[in-house]
Amino acid sequence: MKLIQLILNILWVVLCGFWMALGYLVAALICFVLIVTIPFGIASLRIAGYVLWPFGRTTVERPDAGAPSCVGNVIWLVFAGWWLALGHLLTSIPLFVSIIGIPFGWANLKLIPISLMPLGRDVVPSDEAFGAR
């Protein structure tokens, strides 16, 4: 199973992962420059790593996430989240058109929720996802 995940991740990076991760890195740099938004920059870097190498990993809600994460997610959604979600949507279209890219198109669409609401979530290996809840 690890070999399949490695092959899928390599193909993902070549087809769309690098460019999507670059979008998250740009968002992180903007957040770091604005000082007050450093927590958003940290979340953006976490997602960039996940978007760069997604197969074999998933996201789970953090049990200690509360109202500040909810408020932060609303702010993120307004200023950066919808741009990144739009990037995932637009990247998935050519993947769906090419028959071989359909699994990667679905994977791209599955990344939209975390691009919209990244705070209060952790990236974990997919075999630990159910045990971490």
Side-chain angles (χ1 to χ4, degrees):
M1 192 65 165
K2 298 287 183 183
L3 179 63
I4 293 171
Q5 290 174 355
L6 177 68
I7 292 168
L8 287 172
N9 279 320
I10 291 170
L11 288 172
W12 173 265
V13 168
V14 170
L15 293 175
C16 64
F18 176 76
W19 299 109
M20 293 308 300
L22 194 62
Y24 284 98
L25 289 175
V26 168
L29 289 175
I30 292 169
C31 290
F32 288 141
V33 167
L34 298 175
I35 306 292
V36 176
T37 55
I38 288 177
F40 298 111
I42 294 169
S44 186
L45 285 179
R46 183 176 57 242
I47 300 169
Y50 179 52
V51 168
L52 189 63
W53 207 256
F55 293 99
R57 300 194 295 169
T58 190
T59 62
V60 293
E61 289 185 28
R62 289 181 26 211
D64 61 341
S69 292
C70 182
V71 171
N73 278 330
V74 171
I75 294 168
W76 173 265
L77 176 68
V78 171
F79 290 105
W82 74 276
W83 284 103
L84 294 166
L86 184 64
H88 283 294
L89 183 65
L90 293 176
T91 305
S92 69
I93 292 169
L95 291 169
F96 279 120
V97 170
S98 69
I99 302 300
I100 197 163
I102 289 174
F104 299 111
W106 278 118
N108 227 334
L109 292 180
K110 288 181 181 181
L111 290 168
I112 289 176
I114 193 159
S115 71
L116 292 172
M117 305 272 183
L119 301 175
R121 300 198 60 85
D122 280 330
V123 177
V124 296
S126 57
D127 57 343
E128 293 179 17
F130 296 109
R133 292 183 185 175

